[in-house]
Amino acid sequence: MNNPLICPLCRKPNHCAYAAGRPAEECWCMSLSVPKALLAQIPDEQRGKSCVCEACVRAYKADA
Ligand SMILES: [Zn+2]
């Protein structure tokens, strides 16, 4: 079950503007780059379909 509005890593809303039907330029990910290593943690079947959330990106960067 894929929900494009839910982060596949933490199962919380990812606030993806694009998935919500708004212009992609409005998405938080336009101002914050998502590390490739973090994207690699997304299960294969959800990669490229569901965005991760800003909190996961920030947590990953704080960790790295
Ligand atoms: Zn998340």
Side-chain angles (χ1 to χ4, degrees):
M1 182 192 76
N2 293 321
N3 184 338
L5 298 174
I6 298 294
C7 170
L9 298 178
C10 69
R11 305 266 159 208
K12 289 182 184 142
N14 57 25
H15 302 295
C16 178
Y18 185 72
R22 301 206 304 275
E25 302 84 62
E26 287 182 15
C27 195
W28 59 264
C29 67
M30 289 295 153
S31 56
L32 193 69
S33 66
V34 180
K36 282 206 170 71
L38 184 62
L39 293 176
Q41 294 179 22
I42 302 173
D44 277 345
E45 65 271 19
Q46 285 176 294
R47 199 174 305 141
K49 298 189 180 102
S50 302
C51 285
V52 297
C53 69
E54 186 172 2
C56 281
V57 174
R58 290 193 187 281
Y60 181 87
K61 289 189 169 181
D63 238 25

